[in-house]
Amino acid sequence: MTTGQFPLVLGLDTFGDVTHDDEDRPLSHAQTIRNLVEQGVLADQVDVDFFGIGEHHTDDFPLSAADVVLAAIAARTNRIHVGSAVTVLSSDDPVRVFQRYSTLNGVSGGRAEVILGRGSSIESFPLFGYDLADYEDLFEEKTNLFAELMKGGPVTWQGKTRPALDNQDVVPHTESGPFPVWIGVGGSPQSVLRAARYGFSLMLAIIGGSPARFAPFSQLFRQALESVGREPLPVGVHSPGHVAATDEQAREEFWPRYLEVITHVSKTRGFAIPTKESFLNEIGPQGALYVGSPETVAQKIAQNLTTLGANRFDLKYGMGGLSHETLMTNIELYGTQVIPRVRELLK
């Protein structure tokens, strides 16, 4: 059993959730960031394929400059790919995003990737002076410009969201062609079609419910690529989870933190507050959370990659309040036990 024509990629994503010390006190933003660098270095050491950091701008998720942290990780590693998970392109400038990630590509020796998203967390819109009423238009136009930038060479472009470019050289140039670009999709068919139209890979962000309901998105993506005359492109999955030595330990460590975080963000995001019953359903075979022992998590990853016709899985590890030591154990188990087992199951 295989995942298709593309290599199997197994990565880790984080939002830089604020970690706690042994007495359950929150660490400073600075210490959380330093710990995050150590986590990225460990991921490289245990043969994780990709390490991604998602952009956020809140007290709980202080990763507003993911590319800076990724550069620190890149400078201490030699193999692992590093990138965003995601960059909120709608409230950023495409030229600056391109420059930051082409710089990261240079620092890392060609290991940078970027996942572009419209932003399910909307705190960046008022922070940078954007109107949520322009949510869709901002992403479409900025993705259009980003696609032009990825072609290389001087760019001529005109739109409504930023000043026009007239035969503008944008530096730094990449050494060996464009770096990988993905569009993160949380439930919008329009975003799937947009990824195909611009020739960007598809990353399915599945954070609740049955992963199988996203299978039509994978099919739509392949059909859309074919309809515009493009070659097939990779499909990835990003989902939350937590790995510990046993299923019971993983549940006990993750559940109280998950309940606390989702309850908190429900005030602004409209999420339903989970019950123990709904949590157990989400960590079961038909749910979107990958919580359990290495064998449990590996079996679920392999099953859903097959169901979705995907070749990449990024586990969004961590949850606010977990300790750095717990997260390091998660990463070690994922790299040394989950990844080899998934590869074995998908041979």
Side-chain angles (χ1 to χ4, degrees):
M1 184 165 43
T2 68
T3 55
Q5 67 191 97
F6 299 105
L8 176 61
V9 175
L10 297 164
L12 287 168
D13 291 339
T14 176
F15 295 160
D17 316 60
V18 170
T19 44
H20 287 201
D21 64 15
D22 293 338
E23 297 182 12
D24 203 20
R25 297 172 299 192
L27 300 176
S28 68
H29 289 173
Q31 187 59 55
T32 294
I33 290 168
R34 288 191 290 270
N35 287 348
L36 187 52
V37 174
E38 298 303 321
Q39 292 161 23
V41 171
L42 176 61
D44 178 73
Q45 293 170 350
V46 296
D47 292 334
V48 176
D49 295 322
F50 173 83
F51 191 83
I53 300 176
E55 174 190 347
H56 287 80
H57 301 267
T58 67
D59 181 51
D60 300 318
F61 306 106
L63 264 296
S64 56
D67 50 292
V68 178
V69 184
L70 292 166
I73 294 168
R76 293 179 53 188
T77 58
N78 298 303
R79 182 196 55 81
I80 196 168
H81 279 226
V82 290
S84 68
V86 301
T87 294
V88 184
L89 188 64
S90 304
S91 57
D92 211 329
D93 180 64
V95 173
R96 292 298 286 143
V97 173
F98 173 82
Q99 290 178 322
R100 296 198 301 266
Y101 281 88
S102 58
T103 298
L104 177 63
N105 204 46
V107 169
S108 64
R111 291 182 283 134
E113 303 187 15
V114 63
I115 303 174
L116 306 175
R118 296 184 299 173
S120 58
S121 298
I122 58 173
E123 65 271 2
S124 63
F125 283 76
L127 181 63
F128 298 116
Y130 289 98
D131 190 339
L132 275 173
D134 300 325
Y135 186 83
E136 181 64 30
D137 291 341
L138 283 166
F139 191 61
E140 171 58 34
E141 188 169 285
K142 292 186 177 191
T143 304
N144 178 273
L145 174 53
F146 198 84
E148 291 300 313
L149 292 162
M150 290 302 298
K151 293 176 182 177
V155 175
T156 297
W157 178 91
Q158 187 170 1
K160 298 180 295 184
T161 58
R162 73 172 319 281
L165 299 174
D166 183 13
N167 201 39
Q168 178 68 53
D169 184 29
V170 180
V171 298
H173 303 155
T174 57
E175 282 181 314
S176 54
F179 48 84
V181 181
W182 302 69
I183 296 286
V185 176
S188 167
Q190 290 76 20
S191 289
V192 175
L193 297 174
R194 181 182 289 114
R197 188 166 71 250
Y198 290 118
F200 296 153
S201 299
L202 181 68
M203 181 62 69
L204 300 171
I206 307 176
I207 62 174
S210 170
R213 65 192 172 92
F214 280 76
F217 282 17
S218 299
Q219 297 165 5
L220 176 62
F221 183 57
R222 293 186 177 90
Q223 292 166 359
L225 286 170
E226 185 176 354
S227 72
V228 296
R230 293 189 182 276
E231 295 295 317
L233 288 169
V235 174
V237 179
H238 155 109
S239 289
H242 180 66
V243 188
T246 66
D247 289 345
E248 182 180 15
Q249 182 182 350
R251 290 194 299 266
E252 289 179 352
E253 290 175 347
F254 192 77
W255 161 242
R257 302 305 187 181
Y258 177 73
L259 175 61
E260 182 179 345
V261 168
I262 300 301
T263 300
H264 177 66
V265 301
S266 69
K267 299 171 184 176
T268 56
R269 302 283 296 280
F271 290 164
I273 296 175
T275 63
K276 192 62 177 288
E277 182 181 6
S278 69
F279 172 70
L280 292 175
N281 184 63
E282 287 287 3
I283 67 175
Q286 306 306 316
L289 297 179
Y290 295 72
V291 176
S293 67
E295 179 65 19
T296 295
V297 172
Q299 290 281 353
K300 190 167 182 177
I301 291 172
Q303 170 194 320
N304 285 322
L305 285 176
T306 302
T307 299
L308 296 166
N311 67 284
R312 171 169 166 174
F313 181 86
D314 290 347
L315 179 75
K316 188 277 169 186
Y317 77 95
M319 191 60 62
L322 292 172
S323 70
H324 174 56
E325 291 71 22
T326 300
L327 298 184
M328 293 289 270
T329 299
N330 180 336
I331 292 167
E332 184 171 5
L333 289 172
Y334 185 75
T336 61
Q337 297 188 38
V338 174
I339 286 179
R341 180 62 173 143
V342 174
R343 295 193 183 282
E344 182 180 66
L345 290 167
L346 291 175
K347 281 181 181 176

